[in-house]
């Protein structure tokens, strides 16, 4: 994904609650592996199980 577009997604992700973060992570198309990793670093680790459930 283009850097400018990813920066907007990253900012939205930072400001989102956990449910919104899950939605962004699961439904955003075109992210690179590195971009997914960057989002994952901002995800609350104590809620990681919820992201895992959404991905299955």
């Amino acid at each position: 994904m283009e850097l400018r577009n990813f920066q907007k997604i990253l900012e939205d992700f930072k400001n989102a609650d956990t449910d919104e973060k899950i939605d962004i992570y699961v439904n955003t198309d075109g992210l690179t592996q590195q971009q997914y990793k960057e989002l994952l670093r901002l995800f609350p680790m104590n809620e990681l199980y919820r992201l895992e459930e959404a991905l299955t």
Side-chain angles (χ1 to χ4, degrees), residues 9-28 39 42-44 47 50-51 54:
I9 290 169
L10 188 61
E11 191 62 32
D12 290 346
F13 196 84
K14 286 178 184 177
N15 296 321
D17 65 24
T18 301
D19 289 330
E20 293 168 331
K21 285 180 178 171
I22 291 170
D23 185 56
I24 292 168
Y25 195 91
V26 171
N27 294 312
T28 302
L39 293 178
L42 298 172
F43 197 84
E47 298 284 346
R50 293 179 59 201
L51 180 58

